Amino acid sequence: MPSAPMSHASMPLPPHQSRAVDDAPNPQGPPGSRSRRDPAICPTDDEAAVTREKTNQNKRSFDYVWKSGVAGGLAGCAGKTVVAPLDRVKILFQSHNPHFLKYTGSWLGFSQAMRDIYRQDGPLGLFRGHSATLLRIFPYAAIKFLAYEQIRAVIIPSRDKETPFRRLISGSLAGVTSVFFTYPLEVVRVRLAFETKKDGRSSLRSICKRIYSERMYHKQLVPELPGAPGAAAATAVNSLAPRSGLVNFYRGFTPTLLGMLPYAGVSFLTHDTVGDLLRTPGVAQWTTLPRPDSAPPGKPAPLRYWAELFAGGVAGIVSQTASYPLEVIRRRMQVGGAVGDGHRLRIGETAKLIMRERGVRGFFVGLTIGYVKVFPLAAASFYTYERLKTVLGI
């Protein structure tokens, strides 16, 4: 009995055609999958470019936007909760609260300040102002991480364009974007933390009403000389200078923007750079985890918990050092309505005041406490964000 003729599909193929079939896309598998069981070890430059382009397109999807925003907000809340007691004491030191000036300058003074707050207000006193912090930090961190992912996808569209400068610019623009929308809540938080029991307790609503109604007395913007040309115009300019209202919630906003440029930019730059160093082939076996099956294409392997915490902590230390003098100026400007004669100090005037009071060291008051605070804060924030991204599959 003659055998059935061999169909075209079952005929053996030459070796080079067989390899072509093996490397062809698998129509029954997920998009982009191949019929070969093992993926290519070293993809070509064209394949890498296509993968990066698809990844950037996915970052613009609604699914990626809301997931990265939620992950960023929760990461910020986790970091701030860890260091809330340290943050309370640091604000009291930076803003020269008269009841705590005697404690500045030493670790012993720091511990004594913590003990006094605990004795006067109990454990919750160490978290005074933390509710306003969480209200501010969730949208702030959500916008910051979300903006960084989106801006980075635009400024760094491909791997060959990824440079330290582009990373720095992406982080700086993300920080400026987030602080613009959330700064009023930061002013309220600082004022709540600045108050002590001796000053009397204030509710969140009363603090907001007080800040809104405070009348700030300006120096004349234009000198008024009776009988001189333009005297009437000078009087009009000075009379229109804002002295109360919503503008009070943006005290210290300019130095905040100036400080955010190095802080956010250096923070993201340092974190990403340290992460790259920890993923180099020489140390990757000790610092990285296996890539999850749900990981999007092009995403690097996740770091082990200690490596991710280390990368985030180092990022916090470096960024804090770069921006701390402007942070001190900002704090002094924010509490301008709570101390002094109510004169609205500008950046230059505040800097001169700090220099006159304590010299150059005045710009670094509380920096040691800042290091102790910023390392766990940044470590917890970046760790939580990266782990939530893995859990959410982005």
Side-chain angles (χ1 to χ4, degrees), residues 8 63 117 160 168 181 185 189 261 317 348 355 373 387:
H8 179 72
D63 187 64
I117 295 173
D160 60 322
L168 179 68
F181 290 103
L185 286 171
R189 180 184 74 89
L261 290 172
I317 292 291
M355 178 67 73
K373 187 200 87 165
R387 288 299 184 265

Side-chain angles (χ1 to χ4, degrees), residues 336-370:
V339 295
D341 59 0
H343 168 59
R344 189 194 299 276
L345 295 176
R346 304 181 188 279
I347 297 177
E349 293 173 330
T350 306
K352 289 179 181 179
L353 177 62
I354 295 172
M355 178 67 73
R356 186 167 61 249
E357 289 178 349
R358 306 194 65 169
V360 177
R361 295 182 59 185
F363 292 98
F364 296 93
V365 171
L367 180 58
T368 305
I369 299 176

Side-chain angles (χ1 to χ4, degrees), residues 90-383:
K90 191 189 76 165
I91 289 176
L92 292 172
F93 283 6
Q94 281 183 336
S95 53
H96 281 208
N97 185 289
H99 303 301
F100 289 87
L101 281 176
K102 58 185 177 181
Y103 297 132
T104 60
S106 68
W107 282 105
L108 181 60
F110 172 75
S111 62
Q112 290 175 338
M114 295 271 288
R115 186 168 58 250
D116 279 3
I117 295 173
Y118 183 86
R119 184 168 56 249
Q120 292 175 8
D121 301 328
L124 294 181
L126 296 172
F127 291 87
R128 181 159 177 75
H130 189 56
S131 58
T133 298
L134 295 181
L135 288 175
R136 178 194 70 91
I137 200 63
F138 185 90
Y140 167 79
I143 295 172
K144 183 178 71 172
F145 282 104
L146 170 60
Y148 178 68
E149 298 286 359
Q150 299 300 315
I151 294 172
R152 177 187 168 92
V154 174
I155 295 180
I156 310 177
S158 59
R159 191 70 175 178
D160 60 322
K161 290 183 172 58
E162 189 160 6
T163 62
F165 179 74
R166 289 174 181 264
R167 284 178 171 178
L168 179 68
I169 293 299
S170 300
S172 297
L173 292 178
V176 170
T177 302
S178 61
V179 78
F180 176 80
F181 290 103
T182 59
Y183 190 78
L185 286 171
E186 167 70 1
V187 175
V188 174
R189 180 184 74 89
V190 171
R191 290 293 292 271
L192 282 171
F194 181 77
E195 290 189 345
T196 61
K197 192 172 182 178
K198 296 178 182 178
D199 301 324
R201 297 182 182 275
S202 298
S203 64
L204 180 62
R205 182 178 179 181
S206 63
I207 283 287
C208 292
K209 291 177 63 176
R210 187 183 309 166
I211 294 173
Y212 182 86
S213 60
E214 283 171 353
R215 296 186 63 83
M216 308 300 292
Y217 301 98
H218 292 263
K219 291 182 177 179
Q220 289 182 339
L221 301 179
V222 181
E224 300 179 23
L225 300 176
T235 303
V237 170
N238 290 323
S239 64
L240 291 174
R243 288 174 169 80
S244 64
L246 293 177
V247 70
N248 288 341
F249 290 93
Y250 280 87
R251 288 192 200 119
F253 184 64
T254 301
T256 299
L257 288 181
L258 296 177
M260 184 55 65
L261 290 172
Y263 182 82
V266 172
S267 178
F268 281 109
L269 168 63
T270 305
H271 174 265
D272 291 353
T273 302
V274 174
D276 290 344
L277 294 175
L278 292 174
R279 290 185 178 93
T280 54
V283 298
Q285 58 179 324
W286 298 290
T287 60
T288 60
L289 296 170
R291 293 183 75 255
D293 295 335
S294 60
K299 183 177 180 180
L303 295 173
R304 296 182 184 273
Y305 77 93
W306 67 267
E308 187 61 64
L309 290 172
F310 175 77
V314 172
I317 292 291
V318 176
S319 59
Q320 180 82 348
T321 304
S323 63
Y324 197 79
L326 284 168
E327 183 181 352
V328 173
I329 294 175
R330 173 170 64 95
R331 297 294 191 199
R332 290 294 294 271
M333 294 179 70
Q334 285 176 335
V335 299
V339 295
D341 59 0
H343 168 59
R344 189 194 299 276
L345 295 176
R346 304 181 188 279
I347 297 177
E349 293 173 330
T350 306
K352 289 179 181 179
L353 177 62
I354 295 172
M355 178 67 73
R356 186 167 61 249
E357 289 178 349
R358 306 194 65 169
V360 177
R361 295 182 59 185
F363 292 98
F364 296 93
V365 171
L367 180 58
T368 305
I369 299 176
Y371 283 153
V372 175
K373 187 200 87 165
V374 78
F375 189 94
L377 184 150
S381 294
F382 277 111
Y383 176 83

